[in-house]
Amino acid sequence: MQLIQGKVIADQIKEEIASEVKELVDMGKKRPHLAAILVGHDGGSETYVAHKVKACEQVGFESSLIRFEDNISEDELLKKVQELNNDDSIDGFIVQLPIPDHISENKVIEAIDPSKDVDGFHPVNLGRMVIGLPSYVSATPSGIIELIRRYNIETSGKHCVIVGRSNIVGKPMSILLGQKTNPGNCTVTLCHSRTKDLPSVTRQADILIAALGAPEFVKEDMVKEGAVVIDVGTTRVPSTETKSGFRLKGDVKFDEVSPKCSYITPVPGGVGPMTIVSLLRNTLLAAKRDVY
Ligand code: NAP
């Protein structure tokens, strides 16, 4: 079994991005600038945004954090999105999800200028990705593809089973691995909560991607010998062993499953750090106008 060390690869990619930023600055260009809108005080969102801001500093980007209380109206939030769309000093921005229920997530996503949508959630970016045009690809699937590429994991002709069909992870992942590209050329099965006899499907996977958000859901008897297992899940569970009072659990029961795998990602230190560097990569592309 080989551990896929997302944290190590993410650190390498950060160094690559930092040297590209240095080149831009040496040429007299401005530093890439990522803005994040955070609504409310959800613990998970606070942590994710703090990591993103820190990662910006590490690679030499500028970053702006724009905070709102969770009683902000939909109109006010949409106004801020328009402001960022029109602000030439900002190359890309994200609205950290989830947002409060009284605000339509789709309306907010659709209000973002696709050329600044570095999360890759806008329908224009998703559509362009589906037909193979340059686009910002959603950060988590893009990070997983990069891990597969850097570990030279063969995907062509393999059966990839994905559990979870969210718009930000499962669905785009299924498209990317089914495309006529390398990595890609997989035969893909996309599973969800209505899938019948899920273990019989996951056992057929050469590559199993668990993205459902149920801690330690994937057990040893759900995995084929020699499979590649990518664990996207990050559920915060209470813990007396950490300062914060919680720790992150993946969707895979690591101790049971890992001896059967050819490759497996840990949680934490697997997919999570790659999600952040993919966001940085998209912001760099935005600053260089490489997509639009
Ligand atoms: P989500 O919107 O929470 O949706 C969960 C998906 O899993 C749905 O498609 C659901 O099916 C399916 N599902 C739930 N229970 C299931 C079960 N028992 N059997 C089969 N399918 C089941 O998904 P998400 O936003 O992609 O998040 C999934 C997990 O990934 C969460 O733990 C999240 O925190 C984590 N995540 C991590 C990163 C990272 O950077 N590491 C990034 C994004 C998300 P239905 O569609 O039928 O309801």
Side-chain angles (χ1 to χ4, degrees):
M1 180 274 288
Q2 193 176 348
L3 198 62
I4 299 181
Q5 296 184 313
K7 168 88 175 64
V8 173
I9 302 290
D11 286 344
Q12 280 170 11
I13 297 174
K14 274 189 208 158
E15 277 175 28
E16 293 163 16
I17 294 175
S19 80
E20 281 196 57
V21 172
K22 190 176 173 305
E23 269 173 38
L24 283 179
V25 173
D26 287 349
M27 286 188 315
K29 303 221 164 111
K30 76 172 193 61
R31 291 177 183 279
H33 187 167
L34 174 70
I37 298 180
L38 176 59
V39 182
H41 299 275
D42 172 75
S45 297
E46 293 266 2
T47 310
Y48 297 139
V49 168
H51 283 154
K52 289 168 188 174
V53 168
K54 188 172 160 215
C56 283
E57 280 165 21
Q58 288 171 332
V59 298
F61 284 7
E62 274 190 56
S63 66
S64 302
L65 175 55
I66 300 148
R67 307 189 70 122
F68 292 106
E69 290 304 319
D70 50 19
N71 60 0
I72 184 181
S73 70
E74 187 176 272
D75 279 351
E76 278 174 279
L77 186 56
L78 290 172
K79 218 172 112 198
K80 180 46 87 175
V81 167
Q82 279 314 330
E83 232 177 76
L84 297 181
N85 283 342
N86 297 326
D87 183 341
D88 289 341
S89 73
I90 285 168
D91 298 297
F93 66 97
I94 62 164
V95 179
Q96 182 66 39
L97 300 179
I99 48 179
D101 288 344
H102 66 276
I103 302 175
S104 157
E105 202 170 282
N106 282 339
K107 254 195 198 171
V108 172
I109 290 171
E110 285 189 80
I112 299 173
D113 180 336
S115 71
K116 291 194 173 186
D117 166 43
V118 286
D119 253 340
F121 295 167
H122 192 285
V124 166
N125 278 313
L126 272 168
R128 289 173 67 99
M129 184 267 280
V130 170
I131 59 173
L133 288 175
S135 63
Y136 299 120
V137 177
S138 176
T140 302
S142 154
I144 293 170
I145 292 288
E146 197 55 28
L147 280 180
I148 289 173
R149 180 180 290 125
R150 294 204 182 209
Y151 273 83
N152 282 318
I153 293 170
E154 182 60 78
T155 55
S156 182
K158 303 291 181 189
H159 185 190
C160 175
V161 175
I162 300 166
V163 188
R165 57 177 162 187
S166 71
N167 289 340
I168 63 170
V169 183
K171 254 186 245 172
M173 197 73 247
S174 70
I175 304 283
L176 289 168
L177 281 172
Q179 266 170 344
K180 205 167 181 173
T181 50
N182 182 28
N185 284 317
C186 285
T187 304
V188 179
T189 304
L190 185 58
C191 302
H192 43 76
S193 64
R194 308 290 172 93
T195 300
K196 290 220 170 84
D197 192 7
L198 184 65
S200 74
V201 184
T202 57
R203 273 196 295 273
Q204 295 170 37
D206 302 308
I207 301 171
L208 176 61
I209 302 184
L212 65 157
E216 302 192 325
F217 180 89
V218 176
K219 311 279 193 302
E220 180 267 334
D221 62 355
M222 295 171 73
V223 179
K224 180 164 87 173
E225 196 71 50
V228 175
V229 174
I230 310 280
D231 188 352
V232 182
T234 46
T235 307
R236 285 155 61 101
V237 297
S239 166
T240 50
E241 288 155 31
T242 60
K243 218 165 54 182
S244 58
F246 70 86
R247 66 194 189 97
L248 289 184
K249 271 227 189 271
D251 287 345
V252 176
K253 201 159 173 46
F254 186 89
D255 294 348
E256 265 187 23
V257 171
S258 56
K260 283 185 103 169
C261 299
S262 53
Y263 292 89
I264 187 167
T265 61
V267 175
V271 172
M274 290 302 291
T275 296
I276 293 180
V277 292
S278 301
L279 178 67
L280 297 177
R281 166 68 54 200
N282 280 347
T283 306
L284 182 62
L285 291 174
K288 290 163 69 179
R289 306 280 179 269
D290 272 356
V291 175
Y292 288 92

